[in-house]
């Protein structure tokens, strides 16, 4: 069975009667006119469809926690959608916890994770009743125990471990290999467990947590990850008599940025995970654990596109043709950071057979601000609307105000309706946190 992460475009994308691209029943050219560009557009149907595919894919297994990795893209509206779909939230900062809380997420079903959580952030998680905290290191074990104690609570924790698996993704987004800044090395787990048992009486160890990497296409890697974690759980049971009931496998399922990308479906991933959990639990004589997963990109990536307006262009004599758009590395740093490749179409002329090789440049003051290197598109003119697919994950969430350019707005489309979910910044917003010390005032 296919799933929505295997499509380059949001599932409602089509060419409408005006000859323009349309998503969620909304004409992209009209959206650009109404809200301005750059504009992030999110298709609610694609988000809900993939969320339901995840639920269906794991429905045969008795105990599952589906957590959305908020870092991929989080706003209060997105929290509402995924909360309605029954998801909890994987959160990595006070800001993410606060957003989830303000939007009414079920924090009991959620998890706080990260390699250097602050006192204030841990305190906030404990006070607001975040269900699980994934403890990353020895420093945090002590800190969290103190916080739990002063709140007179016993906090359920997972230990974040590095299973020692390398996946074939960009090195910046690998996380499960041994030389990683995240989590306990497997050789450090015993020391951590002993501290919890002997000293940290306000911590209740319920399971293990790992995340191998992101934009993963190999399914076998999940099988291996489960095997390593379950073997470790069996070892802990044998040595300390502790029954660990939770196994959190992180996120990582890839999406299709270009036609060449062939990510597995949600169903292929879930069956690898479930098979491995069943086989290894029986092999090591453990009760079936509760499986948690934390997909981010595969939930939100495909649903989002970015609209840009074409502006200037430059033909290098005997060289490339550059066409510049009104956004770039500040609203999508992924091409310059990870050499990520995207697919674009012209929203106001999707039917024209492609005919020109162009490099799409951003508007920011860096030579490296290139959104797509040499792609074939219809001849572009100033005013054309370019639609970049698959910008839903790690686009807005990694955006900046580089060059003091305003962050774009984001709209949610569904059934021919469009609603703002993040306002466009204004120049007033931009200077709102600036302070001129009295001695510099004019
Ligand atoms: N869980 C943990 C512990 C993680 O560290 C991550 C992502 C996820 C879940 C979600 O992974 P996903 O399902 O989205 O692959 N900025 C990079 C991606 C960094 C991912 C970091 N961790 C990018 O734009 O490709």
């Amino acid at each position: 069975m296919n799933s929505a992460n295997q499509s380059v475009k949001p599932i409602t994308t089509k060419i409408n009667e005006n000859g323009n691209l349309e998503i969620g029943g909304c004409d992209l050219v009209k959206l650009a006119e109404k809200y301005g560009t750059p504009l992030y557009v999110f298709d609610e149907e694609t988000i809900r469809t993939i969320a339901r595919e995840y639920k269906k894919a794991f429905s045969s297994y008795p105990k599952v926690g589906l957590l959305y990795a908020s870092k991929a893209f989080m706003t209060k509206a997105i929290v509402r959608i995924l909360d309605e779909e029954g998801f909890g939230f994987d959160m990595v900062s006070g800001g993410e916890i606060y957003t989830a809380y303000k939007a009414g997420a079920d924090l009991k079903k959620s998890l706080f994770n990260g390699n250097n959580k602050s006192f204030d952030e841990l305190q906030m998680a404990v006070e607001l009743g975040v269900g699980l905290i994934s403890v990353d290191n020895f420093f945090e074990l002590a800190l969290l125990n103190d916080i739990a104690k002063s709140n007179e609570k016993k906090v359920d924790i997972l230990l974040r471990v590095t299973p020692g698996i390398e996946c074939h993704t960009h090195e910046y987004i690998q996380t499960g290999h041994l030389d990683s800044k995240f989590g306990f090395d497997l050789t450090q787990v015993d020391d951590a467990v002993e501290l919890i048992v002997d000293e940290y009486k306000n911590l209740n160890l319920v399971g293990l947590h790992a995340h191998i990497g992101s934009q993963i296409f190999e399914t076998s890697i999940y099988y291996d990850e489960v095997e390593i974690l379950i073997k470790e759980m069996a070892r802990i049971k044998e040595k300390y008599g502790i029954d660990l009931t939770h196994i959190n496998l992180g996120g990582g399922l890839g999406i299709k940025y270009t036609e060449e990308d062939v990510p597995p479906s949600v169903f292929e991933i879930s069956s690898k995970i479930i098979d491995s959990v069943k086989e290894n639990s029986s092999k090591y004589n453990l009760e079936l654990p509760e499986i948690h997963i934390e997909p981010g990109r595969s939930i939100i990536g495909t649903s989002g596109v970015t609209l840009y307006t074409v502006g200037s262009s430059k033909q290098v004599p005997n060289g490339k043709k550059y066409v510049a758009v009104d956004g770039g590395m500040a609203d999508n740093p992924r091409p310059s950071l990870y050499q990520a490749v995207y697919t674009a179409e012209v929203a106001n002329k999707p039917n024209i057979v492609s005919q020109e090789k162009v490099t799409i440049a951003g508007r920011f003051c860096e030579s490296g601000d290139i959104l797509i290197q040499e792609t074939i598109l219809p001849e572009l003119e100033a005013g054309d609307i370019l639609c970049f697919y698959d910008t839903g994950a790690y686009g807005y969430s990694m955006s900046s105000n580089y060059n003091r350019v305003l962050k774009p707005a984001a709209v949610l489309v569904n059934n021919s309706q469009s609603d703002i979910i993040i306002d466009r910044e204004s120049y007033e917003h931009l200077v709102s946190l600036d302070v001129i010390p009295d001695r510099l005032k004019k």
Side-chain angles (χ1 to χ4, degrees), residues 23 27 79 83 128 153 161 367 418 427:
I23 295 176
D27 185 313
V79 172
D83 182 64
L128 293 178
K153 283 191 179 170
V161 297
S367 303
S418 64
Y427 289 125

Side-chain angles (χ1 to χ4, degrees), residues 162-184:
T162 37
I165 295 176
E166 300 220 355
C167 53
H168 300 118
T169 188
H170 193 284
E171 65 171 314
Y172 289 5
I173 53 179
Q174 286 179 349
T175 35
H177 55 300
L178 290 178
D179 181 19
S180 157
K181 73 169 183 174
F182 297 103
F184 293 92

Side-chain angles (χ1 to χ4, degrees), residues 38-58:
L39 181 70
Y40 299 96
V41 179
F42 287 85
D43 180 35
E44 186 170 341
E45 201 171 317
T46 303
I47 305 172
R48 289 192 189 269
T49 299
I50 187 97
R52 286 171 194 174
E53 285 164 348
Y54 265 108
K55 279 192 279 188
K56 190 166 173 209
F58 282 93

Side-chain angles (χ1 to χ4, degrees), residues 275-316:
D275 288 353
S276 185
V277 168
K278 287 187 173 161
E279 280 170 37
N280 285 295
S281 300
S282 128
K283 178 171 165 193
Y284 292 104
N285 214 8
L286 293 180
E287 297 254 318
L288 286 181
E290 182 162 332
I291 302 176
H292 285 198
I293 52 159
E294 305 164 338
R297 187 192 316 267
S298 56
I299 296 277
I300 202 74
T302 315
S303 76
V305 305
T306 306
L307 305 181
Y308 299 107
T309 303
V310 170
S312 65
S313 56
K314 171 186 175 177
Q315 176 67 60
V316 177

Side-chain angles (χ1 to χ4, degrees), residues 132-193:
L132 281 169
I133 297 187
S134 173
V135 178
D136 194 273
N137 50 62
F138 292 107
F139 174 76
E140 190 188 330
L141 276 178
L143 185 61
L144 181 60
N145 187 64
D146 282 351
I147 292 169
K149 199 167 169 184
S150 58
N151 282 270
E152 294 174 6
K153 283 191 179 170
K154 190 145 184 167
V155 175
D156 286 342
I157 64 163
L158 306 179
L159 285 185
R160 171 78 184 260
V161 297
T162 37
I165 295 176
E166 300 220 355
C167 53
H168 300 118
T169 188
H170 193 284
E171 65 171 314
Y172 289 5
I173 53 179
Q174 286 179 349
T175 35
H177 55 300
L178 290 178
D179 181 19
S180 157
K181 73 169 183 174
F182 297 103
F184 293 92
D185 190 273
L186 290 180
T187 58
Q188 300 168 324
V189 167
D190 278 1
D191 286 348
V193 172

